[in-house]
Amino acid sequence: MVSLPLDCDFLERTDSFLLLFLSQVHSAWYMVIKCKAAVLWEINKPLSIEEVEVAPPQANEVRIKIVSTGICRSDDHVINGSLVYPTPIILGHEAAGIVESIGEGVTSVKPGDKVIPLFTPQCKQCKACKHPVANLCSANDLTSSKGTLRNGAIRFTCRGKPIHHFLGTSTFTEYTVVDEISVVKIDPASPLEKVCLIGCGFTTGYGSAVKVAKVTPGSTCVVFGLGGVGLSVIIGCKSAGASRIIGVDINKEKFSKAKEVGATECINPLDYQKPIEDVLVEMTKNGVDFSFEVIGRLDTMTAALQSCNNAYGVSVIVGVPPNAQNLSVNPMLLLTGRTWKGAIFGGFKSKDDIPKLVSDVIAKKFKLDPLITNVSSLDKINEGFDMLRSGKSIRTVLIM
Ligand code: CND
Ligand code: ZN
């Protein structure tokens, strides 16, 4: 916790009014906060709105008042069991908020700062953080799936039971506690009800195009899956100067929005007799320069790979695949010269890059508005998930 200078010398020098004030502030900092949160007690069940206790932040931890949080398909992957995490758990990883209190040793944020929690942390010490390009900090909880803070701690309790953290963030709650490496200060002018999308969807998609694939001017791209992340890939392809951007989705309701953000054409695999990769190779005379799988299915990952040019195409896996399933591919697909890669969080180094992306939003370099189709409240979170599953929403943002 923030240590106030309550040593003996200080006590003697300080008048009683100031001391009373300081002790009240001090105890407020140590207080457990009771607030509302959406708890997943077990998989394949709706989230339950509960009163939870949020413990104060300990050393190198930060307690955040969440202001807005988006509903991403990765949260749904946990609900349906395709991404495995321990339950009970508080999901949510795409948010913006305000620091409420800080633990001892925290220097990069202070109470009152506007912040974004980071589901991909940046410790700046591990090999990945020190690598010039890599961004998967070894302190991440995606690969370990522990459902705790970095030191194994849990700061949520509900009905007397400890409730797990998700990806070091847990944002479907009015207050959360994160490690300092999992939060970054953003511009005080940030519109918090929108920049939550910088915490996952926009950044993941945009970075997959500009940073991971490194889309080139005049190139042809195909994006499989036109949800919030896929549309953000399209925004990235367009800003990198791609001249042809083909959207692929089995839900044609997604096409108008895809065109609004930059797709030059959209196709539905259900409209064709032959495999969609063959359709794309024909349409583009030997395959696209860059392809992106932004759904999280094994068949579309292979189709995306096969859609790119066999000599120089680059295919990026963005979608999170179902747990414990493997792909079998003919290595010839790669031997001829294709590159197959994937990335978390669009390859961005979170602490370094998020504040810049937020500044770009404030400077109107990108618009997040087309991605936000619904604004709702924490109480209506299950309806928000239903909208995502039925394909009726792109992003629902919950305002807390
Ligand atoms: P969302 O569900 O909004 O979009 C997926 C889209 O795919 C929908 O429009 C579907 O209609 C479409 N679709 C489904 N099946 C098919 C199919 N067979 N062929 C063509 N289209 C299909 O999801 P989202 O945009 O929130 O997330 C997309 C994926 O990205 C998902 O797997 C999520 O978990 C993942 C992701 C990855 C990362 C990362 O860091 N790599 C971060 N966040 C989310
Ligand atoms: Zn996400």
Side-chain angles (χ1 to χ4, degrees):
M1 298 296 292
V2 165
S3 45
L4 288 169
L6 291 177
D7 55 77
C8 293
D9 283 347
F10 179 80
L11 293 181
E12 280 160 23
R13 281 184 274 112
T14 312
D15 70 46
S16 57
F17 175 76
L18 181 60
L19 255 183
L20 178 69
F21 169 72
L22 281 177
S23 64
Q24 279 177 359
V25 172
H26 199 222
S27 64
W29 271 333
Y30 275 103
M31 262 166 46
V32 167
I33 290 179
K34 286 187 180 179
C35 69
K36 242 186 337 183
V39 176
L40 178 72
W41 289 100
E42 52 183 309
I43 65 164
N44 291 315
K45 290 276 161 65
L47 303 179
S48 170
I49 303 295
E50 306 273 0
E51 184 181 83
V52 298
E53 283 146 34
V54 185
Q58 301 301 306
N60 306 313
E61 295 173 4
V62 177
R63 190 159 60 183
I64 304 168
K65 177 171 173 37
I66 298 294
V67 172
S68 66
T69 179
I71 297 179
C72 172
R73 182 63 80 164
S74 302
D75 301 304
D76 191 43
H77 287 331
V78 180
I79 299 176
N80 68 31
S82 74
L83 183 60
V84 178
Y85 268 85
T87 53
I89 189 167
I90 296 176
L91 299 174
H93 62 282
E94 180 180 271
I98 296 171
V99 173
E100 177 271 335
S101 58
I102 55 175
E104 211 172 302
V106 171
T107 55
S108 63
V109 295
K110 59 179 189 315
D113 283 350
K114 286 187 178 177
V115 291
I116 288 186
L118 307 169
F119 79 88
T120 306
Q122 190 183 349
C123 75
K124 305 197 178 186
Q125 308 291 326
C126 72
K127 272 176 131 177
C129 282
K130 286 187 173 159
H131 187 278
V133 176
N135 76 329
L136 188 68
C137 171
S138 65
N140 80 83
D141 196 35
L142 179 71
T143 45
S144 57
S145 309
K146 288 189 311 216
T148 66
L149 294 181
R150 193 183 183 187
N151 61 5
I154 286 184
R155 303 278 173 243
F156 299 116
T157 318
C158 178
R159 302 191 205 178
K161 295 197 178 84
I163 309 292
H164 288 93
H165 295 247
F166 178 51
L167 294 175
T169 48
S170 285
T171 61
F172 295 155
T173 169
E174 292 172 318
Y175 288 86
T176 191
V177 176
V178 303
D179 290 303
E180 187 183 9
I181 59 167
S182 300
V183 61
V184 70
K185 182 179 171 175
I186 54 172
D187 192 315
S190 306
L192 292 183
E193 70 288 0
K194 292 182 187 168
V195 296
C196 52
L197 266 57
I198 300 290
C200 179
F202 176 80
T203 308
T204 299
Y206 179 79
S208 298
V210 303
K211 242 183 140 61
V212 183
K214 297 192 170 52
V215 168
T216 49
S219 60
T220 297
C221 303
V222 60
V223 181
F224 285 72
L226 305 175
V229 186
L231 294 178
S232 303
V233 173
I234 292 178
I235 296 171
C237 293
K238 187 177 174 190
S239 82
S243 56
R244 191 173 181 194
I245 305 169
I246 306 166
V248 177
D249 204 297
I250 50 171
N251 178 357
K252 61 179 181 354
E253 305 285 310
K254 303 284 176 105
F255 292 175
S256 61
K257 184 72 78 171
K259 288 181 182 162
E260 184 189 324
V261 300
T264 52
E265 64 223 272
C266 291
I267 57 173
N268 183 345
L270 303 176
D271 290 343
Y272 299 88
Q273 297 298 327
K274 52 179 150 185
I276 196 67
E277 55 273 27
D278 294 352
V279 174
L280 284 160
V281 168
E282 262 172 39
M283 276 172 74
T284 59
K285 300 196 173 57
N286 282 336
V288 301
D289 300 293
F290 302 98
S291 67
F292 300 86
E293 201 280 355
V294 204
I295 305 165
R297 295 175 55 94
L298 303 187
D299 57 348
T300 42
M301 287 176 186
T302 322
L305 177 66
Q306 289 174 302
S307 316
C308 73
N309 184 281
N310 64 357
Y312 53 77
V314 175
S315 188
V316 180
I317 293 177
V318 186
V320 176
N323 176 50
Q325 287 188 23
N326 294 320
L327 268 175
S328 168
V329 295
N330 183 340
M332 201 64 182
L333 290 174
L334 300 173
L335 188 71
T336 57
R338 291 183 177 94
T339 302
W340 205 7
K341 56 203 297 198
I344 296 300
F345 204 39
F348 282 110
K349 286 186 183 280
S350 57
K351 278 231 181 200
D352 295 345
D353 295 327
I354 293 305
K356 294 180 208 155
L357 285 169
V358 170
S359 300
D360 287 345
V361 170
I362 294 170
K364 300 198 166 30
K365 202 170 150 196
F366 324 110
K367 279 208 277 189
L368 299 172
D369 305 66
L371 304 173
I372 303 173
T373 51
N374 303 73
V375 177
S376 188
S377 61
L378 185 63
D379 292 324
K380 301 213 172 99
I381 189 166
N382 288 309
E383 289 162 40
F385 274 101
D386 287 343
M387 301 274 283
L388 178 73
R389 292 173 193 133
S390 64
K392 292 202 174 80
S393 62
I394 299 296
R395 275 297 196 260
T396 294
V397 170
L398 307 174
I399 303 294
M400 313 299 269

